[in-house]
Amino acid sequence: MLRKSWITAVIAIASGLACAQVPLAEAPAPVAEPEIVFVPPGDSPLPLLWQVSDADNTVYLLGSFHLLKPDDYPLSGDVNDAFADAEAVFFELPPEEMNSPQLPVQMMQAAVRTDGTALDSQLPPETAARLRDWQAANAVALQPSGLTPQRMQMFEPWFVGLMISMTEMGKQGLDPKLGLDQHFIAAAGFAGKRTGGFETAAQQIALLDGMDRDEQLQFIDEALSQAANDDLQVLHAYWRAGDADAIWNEMGVDMRDRFPKLYRHINVERNDAWLPKIEQLLAAPGTDDALVVVGALHLLGEDGVVEKLRAKGYQVERICSMCKPVANAGGSAR
């Protein structure tokens, strides 16, 4: 049983920070997804990929994992075909912001404690002791970042929690430079495709820095707990298998039920803000298509972009030529 951890869900949802309307009179009832049996992915991950269409435009929605491993490539033919068909590629953050050398600086500036106190003064004694133990065990891994135990005392718990999780993911072989976002930023640049983003780095930083005291303490406590288990590896395996139900049920539902306020800020409010932007891509004159690459959890569940677009009456289809539909389930997966 996967140990549920909402910090895993936050990292799975967040974008650049994990690496450095057409109104309808009446929306029809959502069309149910065909039940799918997931086959072993072999050399390529099974994609979390959907196609949204109107009369003349198509938007492909691709669920990203922001840190990946070398053997997660090559990607499936379905994903490569969607990229080839798209004239533009959109991400959570514009590529120029996601890869800006100023992004880490902006994060650190937002995270610096301004009340003259040290981090330990805010932490319960047990959490402070666990942090010291983790720092001692990871002294070598922390050297490149310069985040010594003394320097960590300068920052808010959300930032230290994020650094703990990023360090642990690196130890597990997950690399932000290999993330799906970075892959398609490079591919779009090479192919000369137009790129853009749905929000700014300042907005993403504000989501984390805006957490209240209890949420921040929970964040760092969960990060330290996660360091002792394999949540990220399990979530990564679900992503490789294209198992939308497992990702949603194990991570999304738990975050929604246990931390509804954070879930609303991190997921629901951002999904709602993105919908008009996706609709603008569909309503744009001409026949240009687009690929949208965002954190996988943004696409899943009743609050996800996929179901919200279906509820507005758009035709939405899962694309997965390697997925095998269950007999008599109705519909099909490509």
Side-chain angles (χ1 to χ4, degrees):
M1 179 71 177
L2 175 62
R3 180 191 181 277
K4 297 175 178 66
S5 168
W6 65 261
I7 193 172
T8 305
V10 171
I11 292 170
I13 290 173
S15 178
L17 305 188
C19 306
Q21 294 225 359
V22 181
L24 300 173
E26 182 175 357
V31 178
E33 286 270 1
E35 185 181 359
I36 292 174
V37 171
F38 293 92
V39 297
D43 293 335
S44 299
L46 295 182
L48 292 167
L49 178 66
W50 285 262
Q51 174 181 297
V52 188
S53 304
D54 65 3
D56 50 9
N57 297 93
T58 293
V59 173
Y60 299 98
L61 304 171
L62 179 60
S64 173
F65 207 87
H66 299 306
L67 299 91
L68 291 176
K69 302 180 180 183
D71 60 6
D72 290 322
Y73 295 92
L75 299 174
S76 73
D78 294 327
V79 173
N80 291 329
D81 289 347
F83 174 76
D85 188 45
E87 282 77 27
V89 187
F90 292 85
F91 306 90
E92 294 179 33
L93 296 185
E96 59 270 21
E97 286 201 51
M98 195 182 302
N99 291 331
S100 169
Q102 293 304 309
L103 181 56
V105 177
Q106 292 170 347
M107 286 182 62
M108 294 181 75
Q109 288 175 339
V112 169
R113 302 177 66 83
T114 58
D115 62 359
T117 64
L119 173 64
D120 277 354
S121 69
Q122 187 178 354
L123 302 181
E126 181 183 351
T127 303
R130 292 170 64 205
L131 176 59
R132 287 192 293 272
D133 290 343
W134 182 86
Q135 291 168 328
N138 291 275
V140 174
L142 290 170
Q143 282 180 354
S145 68
L147 283 175
T148 63
Q150 293 75 22
R151 286 202 71 194
M152 279 194 182
Q153 291 296 312
M154 300 167 50
F155 296 105
E156 299 288 350
W158 69 263
F159 180 81
V160 175
L162 189 61
M163 293 304 101
I164 292 170
S165 289
M166 294 295 293
T167 301
E168 291 297 322
M169 284 187 278
K171 288 162 56 178
Q172 296 175 30
L174 292 162
D175 187 347
K177 295 177 182 177
L178 297 177
L180 212 59
D181 317 76
Q182 293 296 338
H183 171 83
F184 281 111
I185 286 173
F190 182 80
K193 294 180 186 284
R194 181 166 56 96
T195 61
F198 286 165
E199 56 195 18
T200 66
Q203 288 173 310
Q204 288 205 353
I205 292 171
L207 284 171
L208 295 173
D209 195 41
M211 288 192 293
D212 62 33
R213 179 182 182 278
D214 289 342
E215 287 172 332
Q216 291 205 36
L217 293 180
Q218 180 73 25
F219 196 98
I220 194 170
D221 187 65
E222 289 277 322
L224 290 166
S225 297
Q226 181 180 281
N229 61 54
D230 61 353
D231 280 9
L232 258 296
Q233 294 288 6
V234 174
L235 185 60
H236 174 253
Y238 288 155
W239 178 85
R240 274 195 61 91
D243 198 336
D245 287 342
I247 295 173
W248 170 245
N249 291 328
E250 293 284 2
M251 304 307 306
V253 171
D254 182 66
M255 184 182 181
R256 180 195 65 192
D257 293 347
R258 293 174 61 207
F259 306 98
K261 183 170 69 172
L262 185 69
Y263 172 81
R264 185 176 69 253
H265 292 325
I266 291 287
N267 199 38
V268 179
E269 291 176 1
R270 296 168 72 202
N271 293 350
D272 289 343
W274 296 350
L275 282 178
K277 300 179 181 183
I278 295 172
E279 291 187 283
Q280 287 172 10
L281 296 176
L282 290 164
T287 59
D288 282 2
D289 299 326
L291 172 65
V292 172
V293 184
V294 296
L297 281 175
H298 284 293
L299 304 182
L300 308 180
E302 60 265 33
D303 295 318
V305 170
V306 167
E307 289 304 326
K308 286 178 180 287
L309 286 168
R310 278 209 183 102
K312 284 179 169 287
Y314 292 100
Q315 178 183 346
V316 187
E317 178 185 7
R318 175 85 185 263
I319 301 177
C320 185
S321 59
M322 293 176 64
C323 296
K324 180 181 178 182
V326 174
N328 302 320
S332 63
R334 279 177 33 200

